[in-house]
């Protein structure tokens, strides 16, 4: 005798929710949500601009020559790189904490799939990183930041946005590994800490410079400044190109390991 599966045990094809890649509605809501978030506006957009104005635009030495431009351009690149790192790390950490809090189960009831959700978060993070860069560069244009050639502006911006994506891995790993309530703050505070000890906010020398070369932001910011300085530091020393490249490669690997460890840790909590 032939048996058939009861109809109520099969999901009718007409009732299956088709999955979408990126939802424009979700992207718009996410962007507006971050724009209404005072934490995001303060640390991602406002802080790099304010720090540039304090240490680059309003400083008496801002118009002095530095490499293929002036000191204001040097400080502008540093602050734009810092703002990009903070934007990528803090916003991706929020995505990781939302996933741990069960947002994925809610998404399963909507047409937006996991890939679409991840892409939405990534696009939002990159957008805010780009906004931070544009804000600092605009402040630089208005306050006398100069480079010898226009391509140096473009090259610095491309390096900042391209390599700055790696800090999305850092934020994702922090969000997965640590408590959801503190992950975003920890990610952005860590970037500020790394900036102070990574030759980003102030020129370092001697032992502090030697230590800085091993920190997560040193290679990224050094490469961002390369179109201006060709690797020459404010102390007169010069870094060979392989040094910041190696720094970036090592920390990219370590951030990837942090993400893997965070995934495993988040699974053990369930």
């Amino acid at each position: 005798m032939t048996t058939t599966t009861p109809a109520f045990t099969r999901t009718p094809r007409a009732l299956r929710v088709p999955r979408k890649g990126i939802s424009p509605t979700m992207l718009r809501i996410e962007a507006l949500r971050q724009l209404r978030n005072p934490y995001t506006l303060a640390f991602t957009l406002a802080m790099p601009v304010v720090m540039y104005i304090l240490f680059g635009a309003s400083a008496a030495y801002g118009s002095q020559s530095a490499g293929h431009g002036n000191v204001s351009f040097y400080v502008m690149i540093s602050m734009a790189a810092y703002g990009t790192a903070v934007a990528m790390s803090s916003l991706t950490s929020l995505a990781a904490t939302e996933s741990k809090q069960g947002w994925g189960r809610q998404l399963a009831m909507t047409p937006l799939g996991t890939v679409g959700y991840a892409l939405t978060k990534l696009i939002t993070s990159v957008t805010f990183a780009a906004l931070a860069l544009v804000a600092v560069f605009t402040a630089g244009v208005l306050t006398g930041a100069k480079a010898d050639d226009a391509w140096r502006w473009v090259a610095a911006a491309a390096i900042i946005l391209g390599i700055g994506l790696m800090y999305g891995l850092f934020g994702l790993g922090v969000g997965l590994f640590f408590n959801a309530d503190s992950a975003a703050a920890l990610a952005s505070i860590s970037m500020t800490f790394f900036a102070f000890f990574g030759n980003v906010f102030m020129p370092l020398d001697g032992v502090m410079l030697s230590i800085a070369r091993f920190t997560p932001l040193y290679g990224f910011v050094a490469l961002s400044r390369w179109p201006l300085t060709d690797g020459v530091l404010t102390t007169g020393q010069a870094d060979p190109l392989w040094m910041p490249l190696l720094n970036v490669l090592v920390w990219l690997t370590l951030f990837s390991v942090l993400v893997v460890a965070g995934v495993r840790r988040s699974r053990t909590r369930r």
Side-chain angles (χ1 to χ4, degrees):
M1 183 174 65
T2 303
T3 59
T4 58
T5 305
F8 60 81
T9 64
R10 298 194 302 267
T11 302
R13 183 169 299 178
L15 296 180
R16 295 176 187 171
V17 179
R19 293 298 181 190
K20 293 181 179 181
I22 299 175
S23 169
T25 302
M26 176 68 178
L27 194 61
R28 177 177 56 83
I29 292 173
E30 182 64 21
L32 291 175
R33 184 168 74 94
Q34 295 303 332
L35 284 173
R36 289 193 295 264
N37 187 341
Y39 173 86
T40 301
L41 294 178
F43 284 91
T44 303
L45 299 180
M47 186 174 176
V49 174
V50 171
M51 295 189 71
Y52 162 72
I53 293 173
L54 289 176
F55 299 111
S58 62
Y61 49 79
S63 59
Q64 295 181 6
S65 176
H68 300 284
N70 60 11
V71 172
S72 291
F73 190 83
Y74 179 93
V75 176
M76 181 194 73
I77 292 175
S78 304
M79 295 304 105
Y82 165 73
T84 297
V86 171
M88 291 301 303
S89 60
S90 60
L91 293 180
T92 53
S93 67
L94 288 174
T97 55
E98 286 178 2
S99 177
K100 287 196 306 183
Q101 290 172 346
W103 187 237
R105 290 190 293 271
Q106 297 292 327
L107 290 176
M109 303 171 62
T110 72
L112 185 66
T114 303
V115 174
Y117 172 74
L119 287 175
T120 299
K121 289 293 185 178
L122 178 62
I123 292 173
T124 303
S125 301
V126 173
T127 300
F128 273 84
L131 286 175
L133 185 145
V134 169
V136 177
F137 271 47
T138 300
V141 171
L142 296 176
T143 56
K146 294 180 180 179
D148 295 344
D149 308 286
W151 69 263
R152 300 183 191 277
W153 291 77
V154 178
I159 293 171
I160 290 171
L161 286 181
I163 301 179
L165 293 175
M166 64 182 282
Y167 297 99
L169 287 176
F170 173 74
L172 187 61
V174 169
L176 290 170
F177 197 85
F178 294 97
N179 186 281
D181 296 331
S182 58
L186 179 61
S188 59
I189 291 173
S190 297
M191 285 295 106
T192 304
F193 176 82
F194 294 147
F196 272 109
F197 291 93
N199 203 39
V200 179
F201 290 158
M202 62 188 71
L204 301 177
D205 197 6
V207 176
M208 292 303 298
L209 179 60
S210 299
I211 295 173
R213 289 189 169 104
F214 295 93
T215 59
L217 283 176
Y218 184 86
F220 168 51
V221 177
L223 290 174
S224 301
R225 293 169 178 162
W226 205 272
L228 173 70
T229 64
D230 294 327
V232 178
L233 305 176
T234 55
T235 57
Q237 304 175 55
D239 286 338
L241 183 58
W242 64 263
M243 185 179 292
L245 287 174
L246 180 61
N247 176 279
V248 167
L249 181 61
V250 168
W251 282 105
L252 179 61
T253 303
L254 292 176
F255 292 161
S256 301
V257 172
L258 178 63
V259 171
V260 174
V263 170
R264 292 178 178 175
R265 182 178 175 85
S266 64
R267 287 176 179 174
T268 59
R269 290 173 176 172
R270 296 175 183 175

